[in-house]
Amino acid sequence: MDIPNATIVQIRKPHSEDVVLLTIKCPYCNKKHSHGGGDNKKDLLLGHRDSHCKNQPNSNKGYNLVT
Ligand SMILES: [Zn+2]
């Protein structure tokens, strides 16, 4: 089965973190989850991530981050 996309809704770099944090809207639970996205906003590290919610149908497949 295909891996769904997760759209990035916020990109931020907290001063306390070494990495950019990407907030996505989860295709499984519709809540927001944050993932590390590389060390600068110009060169985001996208691609596949494990879902942060483990109790949703198919959520073990994860998703692909898209802008
Ligand atoms: Zn979720």
Side-chain angles (χ1 to χ4, degrees):
M1 190 173 155
D2 290 337
I3 297 185
N5 289 334
T7 302
I8 295 170
V9 296
Q10 187 185 45
I11 300 171
R12 61 201 163 93
K13 184 161 187 180
H15 291 300
S16 58
E17 302 276 348
D18 289 334
V19 295
V20 174
L21 291 179
L22 307 175
T23 303
I24 59 93
K25 187 163 185 247
C26 180
Y28 298 111
C29 70
N30 271 329
K31 294 178 183 169
K32 291 175 180 173
H33 304 308
S34 291
H35 294 274
D39 56 11
N40 71 81
K41 288 184 179 180
K42 279 186 184 172
D43 190 21
L44 294 177
L45 200 61
L46 301 175
H48 183 261
R49 296 292 190 285
D50 287 334
S51 164
H52 282 185
C53 49
K54 302 299 181 198
N55 55 354
Q56 302 290 323
N58 297 315
S59 65
N60 60 332
K61 288 200 239 305
Y63 38 65
N64 290 311
L65 303 190
V66 295
T67 51

